[in-house]
Amino acid sequence: MTLALDSFRVLLPLLITLIAPFAVIAARGDQNQREGVSFIAAAMTFFAVLAMVPGVLDGTVYEFTLFTLLPGVTVRFAVDGLGIIFALIATFLWGFATSYNVGYMRSLKEHAQTRYYFCFAIAIFGAVGVAFSGNVFTLYLFYEIITVFTYPLVAHHEDAEGFFGARKYLVYLMGTSKLFLLPAMVLTYVLCGTLDMNFSDVVNGMFPAEVIAESPNLVRLTYVLYIAGLAKAALMPFHNWLPSAMVAPTPVSALLHAVAVVKAGVFSVSRIILSGFGVQAMDTLYLGIPTAYLAAFTIVVASLIALTKDDIKARLAYSTVSQLSYVIIGVALLTPAAVQGGLMHIPHHAFSKITLFFAAGAIYVATHIKKISEMNGLGRRMPWTFSAFGIASLSMIGMPPVCGFVSKWYLLNGALQADQMILIVALLLSTLLNAGYFVPIFYRAFFLKPAPGANIEQYSEAPRTMVIPLCVTAAISVLLGIFPGIFQSFIQTFGSGYF
């Protein structure tokens, strides 16, 4: 009976997110019902995930095998401390994104809204599937589902720019997964005889000690293929799809950056490093520090590029490329503090970055302004939006009491534990660069006079369905900074005996 109940708990969030897209299509004749489906499904899914929290905090790993394809190759789900963090974020923010979608899509009278909500819901289904994946094969399936069903969202405007950005998006993500991730999965099966990851601890992964001793270079190759194949993490040089995908509507950009796509990337990298290879193998094969250096390079270079962008979504896109690598630098350093900092940055970045994109979309809906250089004085007309933007910016910079400070504090401590001064310098430099490309936006909005001839008096806040979600997510960013233990408890459960 207990086993059946545990299986139901694992499957319920997946079933809700699978049914929701088709319910959206069934309700296509009434936009209120269609949007209501998304609200109801988001709430039901979140509470279904929340029901597993007590068990996960007690150390339970909920597992369920749906079916077996080959010996060692199954569609298998497992819910532990790491997976439930991603699932909670994706399902919780789905509700806020839906509210924001209503204001955005209706205000701009966007076309193909049923297709839009259908694909949005499928993307959440993919995100929950990635979060609950119990092996590499299941992870691969849901990783690809996210890619396929976010393509129509990126191409939503159906113009030349939209199709070009969406094509690049698909080529990068599908190309790397087929060229690198699929071979990595095959090599893992050949070396291990299974694709099941180790959920019992973060020290010992799925690769047996004798395999690491006998074929170290082949295991190293497998690791490199995984890192290259998980391009959703946007490590350079496989990052350019992300800025190009900014042709999508702003709520889609928020989905890409904060809820499903890039979070699936850094979550998958974290899962492969900690549950696939494990700290012991990563250290033995000297894989961690080179990965951390690549992440540090991405952090600094992407931040420098962000400084040059006048389009607010382009600046936020390169900020995401940079910020994602905080997660990777943390898990790759392998020290307890660094791993905690990296994993904590998954939820911290999610709430802060979705606030920034929500604010950018609200600015566009209210004013049709995209360029930062044209935002002088707008803060006085849109104080709620720009104040929330400022709070989220402080998180990206790493200023207390906002949650980004907590992540960077742990990352710096972890780099000190590893005696990696180069990485400490990179993290500190990135903080200065973050301030360099965020502070001017806030300063322009509140302290500079409008350009001659600019009539900003005609502008006001965007619809409440857009402004309320961005204010709430900004407030949550502060709460997570004041009470960091909310997600840290899941991380410590996941790494029990290591942290």
Side-chain angles (χ1 to χ4, degrees):
M1 181 65 182
T2 302
L3 183 61
L5 180 59
D6 288 351
S7 301
F8 177 74
R9 283 174 173 166
V10 174
L11 287 178
L12 184 58
L14 290 160
L15 287 172
I16 296 169
T17 50
L18 179 60
I19 294 168
F22 300 100
V24 166
I25 292 177
R28 63 186 178 276
D30 186 317
Q31 66 176 355
N32 292 326
Q33 291 182 11
R34 182 187 60 207
E35 293 156 357
V37 166
S38 294
F39 278 116
I40 293 168
M44 290 176 64
T45 311
F46 174 70
F47 284 112
V49 175
L50 197 64
M52 289 184 279
V53 165
V56 170
L57 289 177
D58 284 340
T60 301
V61 177
Y62 294 100
E63 299 181 76
F64 176 70
T65 299
L66 190 61
F67 56 84
T68 300
L69 293 175
L70 296 168
V73 181
T74 61
V75 175
R76 176 173 174 263
F77 302 102
V79 184
D80 65 348
L82 179 57
I84 207 163
I85 290 175
F86 184 30
L88 284 170
I89 295 166
T91 56
F92 183 75
L93 289 178
W94 185 15
F96 287 94
T98 298
S99 173
Y100 187 88
N101 277 330
V102 171
Y104 188 95
M105 301 300 281
R106 290 192 183 190
S107 295
L108 297 179
K109 297 180 174 60
E110 288 284 353
H111 72 290
Q113 291 191 27
T114 297
R115 182 188 69 194
Y116 176 91
Y117 283 104
F118 173 84
C119 292
F120 211 97
I122 288 280
I124 302 297
F125 169 68
V128 174
V130 166
F132 290 175
S133 293
N135 58 28
V136 180
F137 179 72
T138 309
L139 181 72
Y140 176 80
L141 287 180
F142 284 95
Y143 183 93
E144 295 290 54
I145 285 171
I146 295 173
T147 302
V148 171
F149 284 95
T150 47
Y151 168 82
L153 296 174
V154 177
H156 177 79
H157 292 308
E158 299 180 9
D159 53 15
E161 187 181 21
F163 284 125
F164 176 79
R167 187 162 55 248
K168 181 182 284 190
Y169 175 82
L170 199 62
V171 167
Y172 265 81
L173 297 187
M174 293 289 283
T176 52
S177 68
K178 296 297 181 291
L179 288 173
F180 306 121
L181 184 55
L182 192 57
M185 186 167 61
V186 172
L187 277 173
T188 301
Y189 184 74
V190 170
L191 291 169
C192 302
T194 181
L195 295 176
D196 290 346
M197 292 180 283
N198 186 352
F199 284 79
S200 61
D201 64 76
V202 299
V203 176
N204 300 299
M206 61 192 293
F207 289 84
E210 58 270 22
V211 170
I212 295 171
E214 293 172 3
S215 308
N217 289 330
L218 201 54
V219 178
R220 288 190 183 101
L221 173 62
T222 304
Y223 175 80
V224 171
L225 289 172
Y226 274 120
I227 299 300
L230 294 167
K232 285 187 176 75
L235 274 172
M236 290 183 172
F238 301 114
H239 71 288
N240 200 249
W241 64 269
L242 189 52
S244 298
M246 292 305 96
V247 296
T250 303
V252 175
S253 300
L255 175 77
L256 296 178
H257 289 251
V259 182
V261 180
V262 297
K263 286 299 177 296
V266 292
F267 171 84
S268 298
V269 170
S270 302
R271 180 64 88 190
I272 289 297
I273 289 176
L274 298 174
S275 300
F277 287 81
V279 171
Q280 185 66 48
M282 292 287 296
D283 189 50
T284 301
L285 298 172
Y286 306 104
L287 297 171
I289 296 303
T291 306
Y293 278 20
L294 176 60
F297 174 81
T298 302
I299 287 171
V300 174
V301 173
S303 295
L304 289 169
I305 297 173
L307 283 169
T308 69
K309 300 299 179 182
D310 190 32
D311 183 280
I312 189 168
K313 285 179 65 177
R315 185 171 295 192
L316 292 178
Y318 278 101
S319 166
T320 297
V321 173
S322 173
Q323 292 281 330
L324 289 175
S325 284
Y326 286 119
V327 179
I328 297 172
I329 207 172
V331 296
L333 269 171
L334 304 175
T335 59
V339 174
Q340 287 186 80
L343 296 181
M344 288 169 72
H345 201 61
I346 293 176
H348 293 174
H349 176 265
F351 283 99
S352 302
K353 186 50 65 76
I354 202 169
T355 302
L356 293 170
F357 271 102
F358 279 177
I363 294 165
Y364 179 72
V365 166
T367 68
H368 287 279
I369 291 174
K370 295 180 179 180
K371 294 187 179 298
I372 297 164
S373 58
E374 298 173 2
M375 293 183 182
N376 294 7
L378 278 183
R380 294 190 289 275
R381 303 301 305 163
M382 304 177 68
W384 289 102
T385 297
F386 277 95
S387 295
F389 187 96
I391 291 170
S393 297
L394 291 177
S395 180
M396 296 292 98
I397 295 166
M399 294 291 290
V402 197
C403 57
F405 167 76
V406 179
S407 304
K408 290 193 177 183
W409 180 265
Y410 274 87
L411 288 170
L412 285 167
N413 275 284
L416 281 169
Q417 288 177 354
D419 196 27
Q420 287 292 328
M421 292 307 298
I422 292 175
L423 298 179
I424 292 171
V425 170
L427 289 168
L428 293 174
L429 178 59
S430 74
T431 295
L432 294 175
L433 293 171
N434 292 341
Y437 61 74
F438 277 122
V439 171
I441 301 174
F442 187 82
Y443 181 76
R444 278 181 177 277
F446 283 103
F447 299 105
L448 290 187
K449 294 181 179 179
N455 179 21
I456 68 165
E457 299 301 320
Q458 64 181 309
Y459 302 133
S460 60
E461 293 282 6
R464 289 181 183 178
T465 52
M466 301 178 71
V467 176
I468 290 174
L470 66 89
C471 288
V472 173
T473 53
I476 292 173
S477 295
V478 177
L479 287 174
L480 290 176
I482 298 171
F483 304 105
I486 293 173
F487 284 104
Q488 191 177 20
S489 56
F490 294 114
I491 294 168
Q492 290 174 342
T493 300
F494 164 68
S496 179
Y498 182 69
F499 299 136

